Structure formats: C-alpha cells, structure tokens
Amino acid sequence: MRFDAEWIRELLEGAPGRDELASKLTACGFNVEVREPDGDSEIWDVDVTTNRPDAMNHRGLAREAAVACGARLKPLEPGLEESGEAASDLVSVEIEAPELCGRYVARVVRGVRMAESPQWLAQRLERCGIRPINAIVDATNYVLMELGQPLHAFDLARVAGRRIVVRRAGQGETLTTLDGEKRALDPSHLVIADETHALALAGIMGGADSEIGGDTADVLIESAYFDPLTIRRGARTLGMHTEASHRFERGADPEMAPVAADVAAALIARLAGGTVCSGRVDVNPRPFRSAALELDTEKLGAFAGLEISVDESVRILEGLGFAPRVENGLVHVHVPSWRVDIERVQDLYEEIIRHVGYDAVPARLPVLPAVPGQRRGHWPLVDRARDAAVSVGLAEVVTYSFISPEQDEAASALPLVTAGPVTLDNPLARTQAIMRRSLLPGLAAAARLNLNQGETDLALFEEGRVFVLADGKPAEGERLGILLSGRTGPWDRREAVSFGDLKGLVEAIVERTGFPALTWKRDAAGALDEAEGAVLLGPGGRPAGYAGLLGTQVASKWELRQPVYVAELDLDRALAEVPLPHFHDLPRFPAVIADMTVEHPASLAYADLEAAVGRLASPLVERVELVVRYSGKGIEPGSVRTTLRVVYRHRERSLTQDEVNAEQEALRGRLASELNVRFA
Amino acid sequence: MSLQRLNEVRRSFLADLEAAGSDAEALEAVRVRYAGRRSGLLQELTAALRELPNGEKRDYGRALNELKKLVDSQLREAKRRTAAASAAGSRPMVDVTLPGRRPPRGAEHPVHLVRRRIETIFLRMGYSVEDGPEIEDDWHNFEALNLPPDHPARDDQDTFYLPGGSLLRTHTSPVQARVMEEYEPPIRIVVPGRVYRRDSDLRHSPMFHQLEGLVVDEGITFGHLKATLETFLKELFHGVEVRFRPSYFPFTEPSAEVDITCIFCGGKGCGVCSRSGWIEILGSGMVDPRVFEKLGVDAERYTGFAFGLGLDRVAMLLFGIPDLRLMFSGDQRVARQFA
C-alpha cells in the first residue's frame, strides 16, 4: 500500500528522519518495500499485512511508528465549526439490517460550491495512488487515507424523502454504480437506499444517480461500520474491489465513524465553502465493547525466550492504544476499537515482541530428545526409485500434474490407466484442466520440447503422483516414468535405442527399488507398438508397469517424429522396504560349464525356454545363462538358435567332465521331448 | 688355411654385425655371407678342414666350432633385437586425449537435490521427514490452520478445487495438521512436497514445491525458532547473515519473515535483491494457539514453531537458475547440469 512519507512524519511529534522511520517501520512489521522520491517527500510502498486494516492509513501507521521510534502521535483535531440547523432535522437514518450495519453516522454540509482541491491535498492523494476529482470527493478520500474510515458523499437533494435506509437489496433489484455498471442484486447484498430506491452498494461503491455533481449544494456524508463478511462476499460475487471494500472486509473501526464524519465535514467546509450543520445523526445499534485482557510478563518472557519488563510492556501497549493498567504485577488492557486482530493474550505477546524487536531476542537452540529422525510415508520408496533411475543414467524432469483433455485421452489406453480422471473445477487454462493419470503425457511433452531444442538423444525420468477417481473419490498414486529416444552408448559405439536398452534400465530400476517378482508379458492394450510392447505383471497378475515403443498413434499426439521408448512403474506395487541382503557361502568346488545350442521356433519365448531348462535340469545345475541368440542365414526362417551356458556344480565334490556330459545329454533328451526344439 | 684365417673371419663377422646394427636387411646379408648354406664363409672354412694335415685338424676343428657357435648366437641375438625394435615401431599408440567411454550418468532435478540437502540438514538435527496427500480437504488445508471460510488471507492462496469439495493443497502445512492430529508432542518434522496455486506468471507457477517445518514441545520459545532457522540457513547458504522481520500468517503468532544477506552481492545491493542487500527466504512463526486448539493439542502446555519455504526458489538461488519456467520445462539440459 502507498503512503506519503512526509504525511506520516507530520502526524508525529519528534519524528525521526525518513531513513530511520523506514527502517523502524520495517523492524516492527511494516516492511517499507519501495521508496520513491517525489518532490519534498517520498512515495513509500509498505507491506501492510491483511490482519492490520487499522494500519492501512497514515494515522494508523504513524501510531506504530511513534512506538517504534519513541515519538508521539499528535492528537486528532477536527477543527469543526458547526452552525445553523441540526443535521437530524435534515435527514433521518434507519438501519433495517443491524446485523450487517453496526453503526451509521451522517453529517450534513449545506451551501457548498464545487471547487478543485488545493495543490497540497491533490498531491498527497496522488502519492497514495488516488486521482483527484473535486474538493468534496477528494475530502472523503483524504480522510480515508488519513484515518482509514471509508466515507461516501451523497447529494442530499437526490436522497428522496431525505431518508436513509440501510437494508438488504431486494431480489432482482438493480443499481447503477459510479463506474457505470448496472448491477443485479439480491438479499445477500447490503444497500443504502432512500424512500424509493437503492442509492449505493454499502461499503463497496456509490450509485450514479446520487453522485456529487456541479449543481450539488448540500452534501450528506456517510461514515458507517459494515459487517466484514457481508462486504467481502458482496464484493466478491459482484467481482468488485475498492479502497472501501478492501478496508471494510478486513474490519473497520466502529468508533472512528463519528470522528471521521467530523473531520470530513470540517474539511469540506474548508475546501468547498458551506456550513456544517450542527450535530450528527448517529445510529449505533451494536455499540462497541472493548475486550479486557491480562498480561503476565513472566509468561511473555518464557514464550519469547527473553525477559521483558512490565515497564517496557506498558510503554508499548500505551503507545498502541491499549490503555494499560498494572495491578498485582499483571498488566490489564482494553483492546482498542481499531484492533480487530487482538482477541487473546497471545495476540498481545506479538505486539510486545515485535516492538521490543526480533533482533533483541537471543537465538538459543532448543534441547530436544536425541532420537534419530525418520523418513516416513512415501519418501524412502520414491527416493529409492529416484536413485535407481539416476544410477542407470536417466535425467530427472519435473512436469505439471495437470494436462489437457486431449493429452489425457491420448494416454488413456496405456496399461496402467484404468480408473477415470480427476478434473479441476477451476483450471487456469483448458490445457491444464485434468489431473494426470499417467506420467507419460508430461514425458512425451518433454520429449517434444527437447527434440525441438535439437536434443535428440533422450534418457529422461520423472517421479511423481498420478490422480484418478476411485469409487467416485479422488485418489493418488506414486509412479516412475521413463523415456528413451535417439541413440545410446559411448561415443564410439552409439547405437539406436532398442527395446533391450529400455528393458535393461527397467530391470535395474525394479531391482534397486525393490519389487515383488515381475513377469514380462506382451502388451495387447494397443497404446504401445504391437511388436515392442510389454506389461509387467506382479503377484496375482496385477499390472505393476509397462514398457515399450510408444505406438505411432499416441506418439503423433505429441508430434514425436523419432521412435520413443517409454516405461512406467506403479511404485505402490513396490516393496515398502528392501530386505537386507543375506550372504551365501562361496562354493568350495569348481563349476563345470557346458554350452548347449538349441534351435526352436521364434514363437517360443525365451522365458519359457529358460523356465523349461530350469525345470528339467538336474539339481546339479547352478544356473543357466544366455550366451547368443541368432536367426537369419543358415537358420530355417521363423526359427531361432539360442546358445545357453549351463553351469554345473556339486556342493561337496568336484564333478567330472563325464558326469556333466551325461547330464547334458539327459537334459537335451528331456527338452526335445517336452518342447519343439532341435539341437545344433 | 689356418687358425689365423679363423681369427680373421671372426673379426670381420663382428665388425660386419656391428655395422648392420638393427637393420633387418643388412643383418640378413651378414647371415648369408657367413652362415649361408651354400656359400657362407663358415661352409668354406668347414670344407677347409679336410685339406688340413692331421696334426692341425684337432685345434682347427675346435676353434671352428667355437666360431660357429659365436656366429649363431650373435645372429640370433641381433635378430631378436631387430624384431623387438620393429615391433615397437609398428605397435599402435593409444591417443590418450580421446574421450573416455563413459558409463551413462544420470542426474536429479535441482528441486529434488535441494530438497534432499535440506532434509539431510534437518535429519541430522533429529527431525523426521513427513509426507501427505496432494489432494486435500478444506479442514486440513485451511480451517484447522486458522483460515476459516471467507478469511481474507485465503485470497493470497488462490485454490484449485476438485469436484466434491476437495482441493489441491495450496501449501505443505496441511501435513502439520495431520501430524498434530496423529502424534503427541514432542514433534519435530519437516514436510517437503508439491503444492498448487491458481496463479501463473513469470514469478509464479501453478505447481511448485514447498518444505514445511514444525516443532512442538513444552517450553518452545521464539528464541528457539530464531536459533533453529539461523542454524539451518547458515548450513544451507554458507556464510550468510539472517534477519527476522515481523509479518503475518494466519497459523502463526508472532510471525516472522526471514531474510538472508543476498548471496549474489554479499549484501551490498544488486538486481537480484532489489538493491536491498537482503533476500526473503522463508516464512515462520510461533504456532497460533487457535491451531493447537483445533487439532486437539493442549495449548496451555505446549508451544511450538513452524516455518515454510519454496524449494524451487531456493534451488534457483542456490544454483543460479534465472527463470522459474526452466524448472518445469522438461528440458533435459537443466537436470544434466547437475549430474
């Protein structure tokens, strides 16, 4: 909020220089963010927090400055001269909705002549970012900036029956506000009306037809207190935000209403001539009652970590208007009418600590039980997966959790996408309207961006959450997504990425992350390429992931012009903890290795062949390794030649070559009778 | 023919051998001249044996044999040397300046690098790292934190809503609320995670990352807050000064904005710190007793402090990343710089 620095200084007796004033205000909680020289003053942009509407004006901020700088806030002198008729003879006020309007004060100034504001006043308003209009409107704005009380000036001649009624708007009632907009209202809105119709939107904006104009002779000044919530909701439903609504919705000072009316009346008479009618009309259905609080400075000291004396507390509370009184060592205070933020004693602690100064509080580390910190929830798992992905050479990306309906649709056929999407009620843009159900869309978009940047060799991953509707309710899941494209390998052996590269990475990540045993099965869902797509099935056949070449139809959604391999793992299927490794004794007798070359139809999956060997081999077989796969020249079309290395070992003695030869021969026989295989 | 002749041959052989050096062709010529099968000098000398008188045969024969051995061993040695020399000359030398065949190197995103650095600092101080849902309810995200409906401070946290009244958490603070509902003090936690606000411009992203901290116990003071955050910030940004300014958050009282001396200019004032010499780095405060009461923590017995910071912003400051949009662009050249 903008302030005129010299205006603040003028309100203080013993004001310090501007530099000191700015730094003291910052230190007590009003950060002077920007200082801009302007003539013989400076325009200050001060961060007044939303809980302090009382400081959203020069006098309120000067009150804080006085305490912070050891200066004195000058008393308020309206300089009012009244004469002639009583205001109450000229206008009547009725509050029909006292729950929405706690107080309504009216003053009348008769016989004004429209004039321009003097230079000094116009300049002050401009420093606050307010455009001068005419002396009467400017006077109300000036009082707003000085005292924080929003005011409204009506042309009294245009108030039918000279009767002000504060009431809820009727259903379908309309009002054309000062900005020329015709507003449709309902009973949740509060209006200021005369006998016939609504004149103003209470606490937000005046109406066009009671506006002050060149022919205005008599001015009715409204100075009221409106219910914060009513103003806030009203302004929000109408899409309005004004200087007045900003303050009323945060909480105005009900005791300021009569004072501000006096100050404004005096100022109007001074600037635009006319006489102030005697007395005010003051309807006060809910008089302000000050809350009483008791402060124990010992408890305050224990809370702050700094001993603070009764005298110091009293000095601060006095300056802030709490009228402190010390009794039996306790400080008794009354909360001033402008401090809507003070409800309980802890609120007083804050007042005192910030004026004593945060710098004054000594920093001392707490002494806490020496128990080791734990990483809880998903963190150990997701970081294990992240470490695994980094360890195999992938670069992490972080993409938005929301995507477009088209991207969601494109990813909807992926194996892990089974439940419906979660949509945002109020997205920022259509392209960010749906919560991702898969990490693929973000990775695919990243791939496109990288390709457009000329980065053609991609090895990316993202770890993050996906969102779906489960039984009608939004649910979250942790995923790891991988994308490979272009070439891979060291500089002298760079080769196009293949399914095998992808599978190798996925296997390594699965192993390091810790999953139950997963089986790889050809994917039939169709989002992946029909020849190079797999689902990873966990216990019970539940899918735990997929991996493969992205199908051309899906890839075209992101205009990916080179083959892209993708994989995604459902981390919620992973083991919560990786079991500690268990050491096995090293073998004491040498192994005997025997290779075996098998020729078989390409339709026989390697996993099935390996499983058959495992099942049919003698207990002396320690393990089976894949050595070579070959198809092509010299092999029947549709067949594959697979060379397996069979490792034999006896736990208690050395094996002879003859024994192994016999076992191999027997194994060949069993394989040939069980599977459609031949031996080369 | 005589022993004298043998000596002459012996001398000339050694001279010729030396002259040939390690030239393979010259050595071959020497071999042919002396040890050649058809017309080598040794053949000639052997033939001469028959012509000698019987009395001289024995000595001559012995000397001839020695000469033969010498020629044979010297030639063999010379040949070995030559082979070694030629092998050394033709063996390809590795260009050790060629790039190595590196295994692939992965890289973590800067925001997660920073998250783990910060987690480590707090884990070392005995804090636990907590986790919570990104889809929240109004109670945990707002109401329990002293942000009732229509509270003006809700304006600062423009919220994405989901059907059925749930929302995307606007901060990591709802996890504080969940932890206080679940555990008895003493509580000492940090909570990193993704958060969402309906706001997008050069300095705001609708999705970003925060890290929240909470300490609750008997006798926790504002001085403890100061010391803890000073310790943390000096550990993360080496050598900075720390400053506390009063501020306002609905869930803490008193509240403090915490600034560090600008890490780019050392506090002298530059473009990054708007010439102030200070950079705002986190928000903090003593837990508002209203929050304790809402969450069933005995506000008479316990006090506590809480703090929160933007991980993306810290990553940008710490690593000198100039533009927030780079963080979520998916450009692999961002993370690859942190391999």
Side-chain angles (χ1 to χ4, degrees):
Chain A
M1 188 186 156
R2 283 161 62 126
F3 288 85
D4 178 339
E6 285 306 315
W7 193 354
I8 299 171
R9 290 188 71 237
E10 189 192 279
L11 295 169
L12 295 172
E13 223 174 86
R18 290 200 287 257
D19 289 351
E20 188 186 339
L21 187 60
S23 74
K24 289 276 169 65
L25 277 171
T26 296
C28 75
F30 300 90
N31 191 14
V32 181
E33 287 177 330
V34 182
R35 294 174 60 179
E36 185 192 320
D38 185 72
D40 55 0
S41 183
E42 284 177 15
I43 298 168
W44 284 1
D45 196 350
V46 183
D47 183 15
V48 181
T49 53
T50 178
N51 61 325
R52 294 300 304 275
D54 65 291
M56 293 174 183
N57 62 79
H58 286 73
R59 196 171 172 81
L61 198 60
R63 182 185 293 115
E64 291 286 340
V67 177
C69 305
R72 204 172 79 89
L73 182 65
K74 289 180 186 169
L76 182 61
E77 285 159 7
L80 185 70
E81 285 173 32
E82 297 176 332
S83 61
E85 300 150 280
S88 54
D89 292 338
L90 292 170
V91 66
S92 68
V93 172
E94 188 187 342
I95 300 179
E96 280 186 9
E99 71 282 11
L100 307 187
C101 175
R103 188 167 198 179
Y104 196 101
V105 175
R107 271 260 181 207
V108 177
V109 184
R110 300 206 78 172
V112 299
R113 276 179 321 277
M114 199 44 72
E116 270 189 27
S117 294
Q119 167 72 21
W120 65 269
L121 189 145
Q123 196 175 35
R124 283 190 171 178
L125 289 183
E126 278 169 350
R127 285 182 184 142
C128 298
I130 292 174
R131 191 167 51 90
I133 296 168
N134 61 49
I136 295 167
V137 173
D138 294 351
T140 60
N141 281 331
Y142 185 84
V143 174
L144 171 67
M145 287 301 137
E146 178 164 359
L147 303 177
Q149 172 65 45
L151 301 170
H152 189 64
F154 295 97
D155 183 339
L156 185 59
R158 301 192 196 183
V159 178
R162 291 185 169 180
R163 199 168 115 82
I164 291 288
V165 182
V166 186
R167 62 169 169 81
R168 290 177 183 271
Q171 187 66 46
E173 187 169 9
T174 60
L175 170 67
T176 303
T177 40
L178 276 174
D179 55 8
E181 294 278 327
K182 190 172 175 181
R183 313 276 178 180
L185 308 178
D186 64 54
S188 73
H189 298 115
L190 186 68
V191 295
I192 311 300
D194 60 12
E195 277 190 346
T196 60
H197 66 302
L199 299 175
L201 207 46
I204 303 173
M205 194 179 274
D209 60 3
S210 58
E211 195 183 352
I212 300 288
D215 57 349
T216 299
D218 302 333
V219 177
L220 166 67
I221 302 164
E222 165 198 292
S223 183
Y225 175 81
F226 298 114
D227 170 55
L229 217 51
T230 306
I231 303 304
R232 178 170 166 77
R233 286 179 181 156
R236 206 161 48 170
T237 57
L238 294 170
M240 300 173 78
H241 183 93
T242 62
E243 293 279 356
S245 71
H246 188 78
R247 287 169 176 79
F248 278 127
E249 68 181 42
R250 282 162 178 74
D253 175 3
E255 297 293 281
M256 182 53 80
V259 181
D262 291 359
V263 174
L267 189 57
I268 288 171
R270 194 172 133 205
L271 302 179
T275 54
V276 180
C277 297
S278 61
R280 343 168 167 107
V281 180
D282 185 350
V283 184
N284 194 5
R286 290 190 294 141
F288 170 75
R289 264 186 271 288
S290 171
L293 295 172
E294 276 176 18
L295 173 77
D296 179 343
T297 51
E298 259 177 51
K299 284 188 183 165
L300 165 65
F303 178 79
L306 168 73
E307 213 171 285
I308 300 169
S309 69
V310 171
D311 286 354
E312 178 70 347
S313 303
V314 166
R315 182 190 73 80
I316 291 164
L317 292 169
E318 180 77 54
L320 295 177
F322 284 81
R325 184 169 48 83
V326 181
E327 224 171 84
N328 299 330
L330 296 180
V331 184
H332 295 260
V333 303
H334 285 280
V335 179
S337 56
W338 58 86
R339 290 305 300 270
V340 296
D341 59 319
I342 307 286
E343 286 174 13
R344 50 171 86 194
V345 72
Q346 284 88 347
D347 302 332
L348 294 179
Y349 292 176
E350 174 174 41
E351 295 307 293
I352 295 167
I353 296 171
R354 72 185 170 84
H355 274 293
V356 165
Y358 284 4
D359 283 347
V361 178
R364 267 193 212 108
L365 280 171
V367 177
L368 295 160
V371 290
Q374 306 290 331
R375 307 181 81 241
R376 301 208 183 98
H378 275 114
W379 287 119
L381 170 68
V382 299
D383 279 343
R384 221 157 58 223
R386 178 172 278 112
D387 288 341
V390 169
S391 76
V392 295
L394 301 172
E396 183 172 24
V397 295
V398 173
T399 70
Y400 284 164
S401 307
F402 15 64
I403 57 176
S404 73
E406 291 76 21
Q407 291 179 328
D408 178 70
E409 172 62 29
S412 62
L414 286 168
L416 288 180
V417 180
T418 47
V422 177
T423 51
L424 291 176
D425 275 354
N426 56 340
L428 263 180
R430 220 187 73 86
T431 51
Q432 300 175 354
I434 298 193
M435 300 304 288
R436 61 185 182 186
R437 290 188 280 172
S438 158
L439 299 186
L440 177 100
L443 285 167
R448 182 170 65 177
L449 176 123
N450 280 289
L451 293 175
N452 288 344
Q453 299 295 320
E455 286 284 297
T456 51
D457 298 337
L458 302 177
L460 309 176
F461 82 96
E462 179 168 17
E463 192 292 317
R465 292 188 189 173
V466 296
F467 306 85
V468 291
L469 278 180
D471 302 325
K473 288 201 189 94
E476 307 175 22
E478 292 282 357
R479 294 282 176 84
L480 183 81
I482 297 166
L483 185 144
L484 288 184
S485 190
R487 295 163 310 153
T488 185
W491 61 271
D492 58 343
R493 287 189 202 168
R494 276 185 106 52
E495 283 177 11
V497 169
S498 69
F499 182 85
D501 292 316
L502 178 71
K503 181 168 177 179
L505 295 186
V506 171
E507 284 177 323
I509 291 170
V510 160
E511 214 171 278
R512 293 200 50 175
T513 306
F515 273 81
L518 300 180
T519 52
W520 291 65
K521 208 177 136 240
R522 187 174 297 288
D523 165 50
L528 301 177
D529 181 83
E530 121 186 270
E532 300 188 52
V535 278
L536 281 72
L537 301 178
R542 280 184 83 177
Y546 62 82
L549 177 62
L550 193 60
T552 47
Q553 206 174 353
V554 180
S556 70
K557 289 285 193 328
W558 282 274
E559 294 157 359
L560 299 172
R561 283 178 298 273
Q562 69 182 42
V564 165
Y565 285 86
V566 293
E568 195 167 352
L569 291 170
D570 184 347
L571 296 181
D572 296 321
R573 301 266 82 79
L575 302 171
E577 255 175 76
V578 183
L580 273 183
H582 187 81
F583 182 73
H584 299 280
D585 260 346
L586 300 181
R588 282 182 295 156
F589 296 93
V592 179
I593 288 164
D595 285 358
M596 170 189 282
T597 296
V598 187
E599 199 171 313
H600 57 83
S603 61
L604 174 62
Y606 174 74
D608 294 340
L609 174 63
E610 196 193 66
V613 172
R615 200 172 62 244
L616 302 173
S618 102
L620 293 175
V621 171
E622 185 181 83
R623 62 181 193 276
V624 177
E625 292 165 5
L626 175 60
V627 183
V628 183
R629 287 273 279 191
Y630 177 74
S631 61
K633 224 166 107 185
I635 310 278
E636 209 177 289
S639 282
V640 180
R641 189 173 281 176
T642 302
T643 301
L644 297 173
R645 174 154 299 166
V646 188
V647 180
Y648 289 86
R649 194 195 305 268
H650 197 288
R651 284 165 51 104
E652 279 143 18
R653 62 178 173 84
S654 294
L655 289 169
T656 66
Q657 191 65 49
D658 286 346
E659 276 178 290
V660 170
N661 290 347
E663 291 286 2
Q664 275 291 85
E665 199 47 51
L667 176 57
R668 282 198 194 90
R670 288 196 285 267
L671 279 172
S673 68
E674 186 141 327
L675 298 173
N676 181 18
V677 300
R678 291 189 294 122
F679 296 93
Chain B
M1 285 294 168
S2 63
L3 289 172
Q4 195 188 336
R5 171 76 180 138
L6 289 182
N7 277 332
E8 278 170 25
V9 171
R10 181 191 162 95
R11 269 197 305 276
S12 74
F13 168 73
L14 289 173
D16 287 353
L17 193 67
E18 194 174 333
S22 58
D23 181 334
E25 267 179 49
L27 278 173
E28 180 61 12
V30 172
R31 184 190 71 78
V32 171
R33 174 146 182 250
Y34 292 91
R37 276 206 192 156
R38 280 194 205 145
S39 53
L41 278 173
L42 289 180
Q43 289 288 347
E44 195 182 303
L45 294 173
T46 308
L49 179 68
R50 264 173 271 139
E51 318 286 319
L52 283 177
N54 278 348
E56 291 176 24
K57 269 186 184 167
R58 211 173 123 214
D59 286 352
Y60 182 89
R62 199 177 292 153
L64 177 63
N65 260 339
E66 271 171 29
L67 178 62
K68 276 183 177 170
K69 273 185 199 161
L70 175 83
V71 168
D72 186 58
S73 73
Q74 288 290 320
L75 277 174
R76 219 183 308 186
E77 173 61 19
K79 201 171 177 183
R80 195 193 58 75
R81 267 204 314 270
T82 315
S86 83
S90 66
R91 189 165 160 216
M93 294 288 139
V94 168
D95 180 352
V96 296
T97 66
L98 278 174
R101 304 184 59 231
R102 284 178 156 222
R105 238 181 124 180
E108 206 167 339
H109 191 276
V111 80
H112 289 289
L113 279 177
V114 154
R115 167 177 64 80
R116 291 167 88 166
R117 269 176 186 244
I118 297 178
E119 284 178 6
T120 304
I121 294 172
F122 282 104
L123 282 163
R124 282 160 55 210
M125 298 202 277
Y127 287 63
S128 285
V129 182
E130 290 286 345
D131 184 18
E134 290 176 18
I135 295 178
E136 263 298 356
D137 50 43
D138 194 88
W139 166 257
H140 289 101
N141 195 75
F142 289 126
E143 203 139 353
L145 302 170
N146 197 29
L147 271 154
D150 291 305
H151 193 292
R154 284 202 184 191
D155 287 353
D156 304 336
Q157 302 196 5
D158 263 342
T159 310
F160 285 112
Y161 287 97
L162 304 172
S166 51
L167 49 86
L168 297 181
R169 63 178 178 192
T170 57
H171 45 189
T172 41
S173 312
V175 184
Q176 278 189 26
R178 290 178 177 278
V179 166
M180 282 192 267
E181 282 175 337
E182 197 177 329
Y183 304 125
E184 287 291 317
I187 291 169
R188 207 177 347 169
I189 58 161
V190 290
V191 187
R194 275 191 191 205
V195 301
Y196 304 87
R197 285 186 200 176
R198 206 175 167 281
D199 197 0
S200 183
D201 57 41
L202 283 181
R203 299 185 58 185
H204 297 92
S205 160
M207 181 207 87
F208 56 105
H209 300 78
Q210 274 191 345
L211 182 133
E212 186 93 4
L214 174 72
V215 172
V216 181
D217 202 355
E218 290 174 7
I220 295 293
T221 71
F222 188 71
H224 292 152
L225 174 154
K226 279 187 67 180
T228 302
L229 295 181
E230 262 178 32
T231 304
F232 156 60
L233 289 170
K234 289 185 176 184
E235 194 78 9
L236 185 65
F237 300 99
H238 302 282
V240 291
E241 291 303 309
V242 180
R243 155 178 110 164
F244 295 81
R245 279 186 290 113
S247 187
Y248 168 72
F249 305 106
F251 26 90
T252 53
E253 184 179 67
S255 303
E257 291 277 6
V258 185
D259 301 337
I260 53 169
T261 40
C262 179
I263 54 175
F264 297 98
C265 63
K268 288 195 273 296
C270 67
V272 177
C273 59
S274 314
R275 320 255 151 244
S276 71
W278 294 95
I279 292 180
E280 202 172 298
I281 199 75
L282 55 79
S284 66
M286 301 298 287
V287 178
D288 194 306
R290 291 169 187 82
V291 173
F292 281 152
E293 281 161 16
K294 280 175 192 280
L295 294 165
V297 176
D298 184 348
E300 291 296 315
R301 185 172 165 199
Y302 296 110
T303 50
F305 63 82
F307 56 90
L309 53 76
L311 288 173
D312 317 275
R313 198 174 126 69
V314 172
M316 289 169 71
L317 284 174
L318 208 55
F319 302 129
I321 301 170
D323 189 337
L324 178 63
R325 288 169 301 181
L326 284 170
M327 304 286 280
F328 310 126
S329 66
D331 194 323
Q332 71 168 355
R333 294 171 303 177
V334 176
R336 292 270 177 219
Q337 296 188 26
F338 300 91

